[in-house]
Amino acid sequence: RIRRGIASDSLRAPRSPSMSEVPVALDFVAGSVSGAMSVVVGQPFDTVKVRLQTDCKGLYNGAVECAMKLVGTEGWPSLFRGVLSPVLTTSLVNAIVFSSHAGYVRHVTQGKRQATASEQFLGGSLGGLFQCAVLTPTDVVKCRMQADGRYRNSLDVIRSTLRQDGLAGLYRGNVITLIREVPAYGVYFWTYDGMKASFQKLGNLGEWPSSFLAGGISGSFTWAIVYPVDVIKSLVQTAPRGEDTRIAVLTARIFQQRGWSYFFRGFGTACLRAFPVNAVIFPVYELTLKVLLAASSRPSPSPAAVPPEDAAGVVDFADQRVL
């Protein structure tokens, strides 16, 4: 049973003060569902991006040519190479990020006020920090699958990496991943929260259009900022065994051999991919959270469970209106 005041606040954003008592477990599940959905949307774009980033031989002149060659020589399933690893783990990564961010914001606001921009940034950065323990090995497996067609599946990459380099091999590039993820997620949540509020206030947009647009724009904006770091990360994680992968050394070598423009190879593809992926993440997260809240707040099946005098406080989450 949800009172009218709580219901109206909850429809604005899942991190509002009225949601301060939401169990972290629900954030975790909602983040997991939205993460899995985002992988399905973004995997073909991500495969092309990684191929362009790791193409030191100049095989591709752009994203379209890269995609066409991949489909022509390896078939359309090649665009989804390595998808098993992120489907299984991106759910966990997204769950960690969203539950960490929501937990921090609720803690500092105590459910009494809206979070400030700096609190949104810190909450996102904490989420980015915590999820790197899962993200780094996931990215190692995914990037190697996407960059090297010799691997049969994700398990083949894991076995090969463990055999050659041990567990440390799965955490290659952990430092550069941290450098990318911690500030990126801070910017991500900060810009999303601000833009969604602006769209609803100034643009007079509804809940879902605002969430869709703010998510897509914040995702593309964040990728634009950290993209050169992502290029370095992909090179570190796919470098041949024995090659010097220290960040400063690798960066200097690529700059000398390829020039500064190489750090933006696949930039357009990454930003194009970021919009639909992140436009999906937030609405799916918020919708899933509301469904979970409705289910957890649902009274017993008996018609008498909801007294007539309280009927006006029950929320229909399907059409987002107070009955």
Side-chain angles (χ1 to χ4, degrees):
R1 190 183 309 164
I2 302 176
R3 300 292 179 183
R4 181 181 298 273
I6 295 177
S8 61
D9 284 343
S10 67
L11 293 178
R12 283 199 293 267
R15 296 177 299 283
S16 64
S18 62
M19 302 291 283
S20 60
E21 296 181 359
V22 174
V24 174
L26 297 189
D27 283 306
F28 195 90
V29 173
S32 178
V33 173
S34 64
M37 185 66 68
S38 72
V39 172
V40 176
V41 173
Q43 184 67 13
F45 295 97
D46 194 63
T47 297
V48 172
K49 173 182 73 73
V50 171
R51 284 291 181 107
L52 289 172
Q53 289 178 337
T54 57
D55 174 31
C56 296
K57 298 180 181 179
L59 298 176
Y60 311 114
N61 291 322
V64 175
E65 181 182 341
C66 178
M68 292 180 64
K69 283 187 176 180
L70 281 175
V71 173
T73 59
E74 302 178 33
W76 68 263
S78 63
L79 295 175
F80 290 88
R81 286 183 64 86
V83 72
L84 178 62
S85 176
V87 161
L88 295 177
T89 55
T90 297
S91 297
L92 178 57
V93 166
N94 217 52
I96 293 172
V97 170
F98 275 82
S99 59
S100 298
H101 169 267
Y104 172 80
V105 168
R106 289 179 189 132
H107 173 73
V108 297
T109 62
Q110 294 295 304
K112 298 177 181 178
R113 59 178 175 81
Q114 294 288 342
T116 64
S118 61
E119 289 167 345
Q120 292 284 359
F121 181 90
L122 287 173
S125 294
L126 283 175
L129 174 65
F130 294 148
Q131 53 93 39
C132 281
V134 177
L135 180 66
T136 301
T138 300
D139 268 2
V140 168
V141 173
K142 177 179 67 68
C143 287
R144 291 183 180 182
M145 272 286 293
Q146 292 170 328
D148 192 338
R150 294 176 297 176
Y151 293 113
R152 295 188 300 274
N153 50 50
S154 297
L155 291 178
D156 191 24
V157 179
I158 294 173
R159 284 194 295 263
S160 176
T161 302
L162 291 175
R163 184 172 58 251
Q164 295 180 2
D165 303 310
L167 185 61
L170 290 175
Y171 281 89
R172 179 192 280 192
N174 191 46
V175 173
I176 192 68
T177 300
L178 284 167
I179 292 173
R180 183 190 71 172
E181 295 298 298
V182 173
Y185 272 107
V187 172
Y188 183 54
F189 280 97
W190 167 52
T191 54
Y192 171 78
D193 190 73
M195 280 190 291
K196 182 180 179 183
S198 296
F199 285 141
Q200 289 182 304
K201 182 178 180 179
L202 303 178
N204 198 28
L205 294 178
E207 171 78 5
W208 304 121
S210 297
S211 182
F212 183 89
L213 288 174
I217 294 172
S218 63
S220 296
F221 178 69
T222 302
W223 266 107
I225 293 174
V226 302
Y227 191 78
V229 180
D230 186 66
V231 173
I232 298 170
K233 182 196 72 69
S234 294
L235 292 171
V236 168
Q237 294 179 328
T238 59
R241 192 165 180 244
E243 184 174 312
D244 191 342
T245 57
R246 288 177 295 174
I247 297 172
V249 173
L250 182 62
T251 302
R253 183 169 68 246
I254 293 299
F255 180 76
Q256 292 172 357
Q257 295 176 354
R258 301 285 179 173
W260 65 268
S261 61
Y262 191 87
F263 295 102
F264 290 91
R265 281 185 65 85
F267 177 82
T269 303
C271 291
L272 180 64
R273 165 189 175 273
F275 189 94
V277 166
N278 292 282
V280 165
I281 283 179
F282 278 102
V284 171
Y285 167 78
E286 294 172 2
L287 177 61
T288 304
L289 186 58
K290 288 173 181 177
V291 170
L292 292 173
L293 283 170
S296 64
S297 303
R298 187 177 300 154
S300 61
S302 172
V306 181
E309 65 270 17
D310 287 342
V314 179
V315 177
D316 182 347
F317 287 98
D319 63 6
Q320 302 177 41
R321 59 189 175 86
V322 179
L323 299 179

